[in-house]
Amino acid sequence: DSGVTQTPKHLITATGQRVTLRCSPRSGDLSVYWYQQSLDQGLQFLIHYYNGEERAKGNILERFSAQQFPDLHSELNLSSLELGDSALYFCASSVAGDSGELFFGEGSRLTVL
Amino acid sequence: LAKTTQPISMDSYEGQEVNITCSHNNIATNDYITWYQQFPSQGPRFIIQGYKTKVTNEVASLFIPADRKSSTLSLPRVSLSDTAVYYCLVGDMAGRADDMRFGAGTRLTVKP
């Protein structure tokens, strides 16, 4: 158990819909990272938040947005969903976000039908 | 230009030592080298991190030559349960997007 909690674990929805994925980092960790992993693909970095502020942005679509709240939990919002958005979405946390170990959650599996 | 280059796949047998090499020609002075392991449908798990020379922990060793342009993850006496994808990351992880890229990784298959 990494200490990072992601909900929901599984989500099935239809094209055009909007979903929110939630991540609770390890206690004391200030950084939250979001990654997308499609079937048999590598991990695509989406976005990084540190203590409530956006720190780095990767291959995140304009239809996707994220935020980190004062209690340090984070939410990833996916809108106007397309079939290609079906993937595992991982959240990771670290203490500070520099040179440190990333602790990954178990992921949220999104299926868009 | 890719920041790291690893073999796409490797095969081994139980009980053998496995060495996976990662090339990172453009490594910067402040960059660390970190390796992660990922099983299917699970989040990656930290294995080891190093800056130079050799680092060893209970599961692996990391060898980094003096020029730091490559690194080798060594897994001693692998078992079937070591079958996974192994990722090499290079960066100081200071919030730069490039530092967060895992790449394709190396798919290790351990056979009985």
Side-chain angles (χ1 to χ4, degrees):
Chain A
D1 182 6
S2 66
V4 177
T5 303
Q6 291 188 246
T7 57
K9 286 186 169 45
H10 301 276
L11 188 57
I12 301 174
T13 188
T15 55
Q17 296 298 305
R18 172 190 172 95
V19 299
T20 297
L21 309 181
R22 180 187 171 99
C23 171
S24 294
R26 291 188 323 153
S27 177
D29 283 1
L30 299 178
S31 274
V32 169
Y33 309 79
W34 286 97
Y35 289 86
Q36 177 195 55
Q37 187 170 41
S38 302
L39 189 64
D40 292 332
Q41 298 294 312
L43 287 146
Q44 297 294 318
F45 167 65
L46 296 178
I47 199 162
H48 169 211
Y49 279 86
Y50 174 76
N51 203 20
E53 294 188 2
E54 182 183 306
R55 191 80 176 266
K57 185 176 284 190
N59 302 322
I60 189 167
L61 300 172
E62 287 190 6
R63 299 183 286 108
F64 297 179
S65 65
Q67 56 183 324
Q68 186 180 28
F69 295 87
D71 66 353
L72 300 177
H73 91 273
S74 178
E75 292 181 357
L76 178 66
N77 300 298
L78 316 175
S79 62
S80 303
L81 285 169
E82 302 175 358
L83 296 178
D85 297 328
S86 296
L88 261 172
Y89 291 85
F90 288 106
C91 165
S93 74
S94 68
V95 173
D98 56 332
S99 302
E101 175 181 350
L102 298 183
F103 294 87
F104 281 81
E106 295 184 357
S108 292
R109 182 176 294 279
L110 172 66
T111 301
V112 182
L113 301 176
Chain B
L1 184 64
K3 195 163 186 177
T4 61
T5 303
Q6 303 174 232
I8 294 175
S9 64
M10 294 181 67
D11 289 344
S12 183
Y13 291 92
E14 281 189 293
Q16 289 188 335
E17 177 184 75
V18 171
N19 295 309
I20 306 174
T21 297
C22 179
S23 297
H24 29 80
N25 292 321
N26 298 321
I27 190 168
T29 303
N30 294 333
D31 286 346
Y32 286 76
I33 300 153
T34 312
W35 286 81
Y36 285 82
Q37 174 192 55
Q38 186 182 26
F39 298 112
S41 298
Q42 294 186 24
R45 184 173 67 105
F46 173 92
I47 302 175
I48 198 166
Q49 183 181 72
Y51 183 80
K52 62 180 180 180
T53 63
K54 176 184 174 182
V55 179
T56 298
N57 62 23
E58 64 276 9
V59 297
S61 295
L62 179 60
F63 298 92
I64 306 168
D67 66 6
R68 303 199 327 121
K69 293 184 184 298
S70 67
S71 59
T72 300
L73 174 72
S74 181
L75 304 173
R77 297 178 298 282
V78 294
S79 63
L80 297 177
S81 62
D82 292 316
T83 294
V85 178
Y86 292 83
Y87 297 96
C88 164
L89 271 74
V90 170
D92 64 10
M93 306 293 275
R96 296 196 305 246
D98 279 354
D99 291 350
M100 309 298 152
R101 299 183 191 277
F102 271 69
T106 298
R107 185 176 299 276
L108 173 66
T109 302
V110 180
K111 302 175 182 178

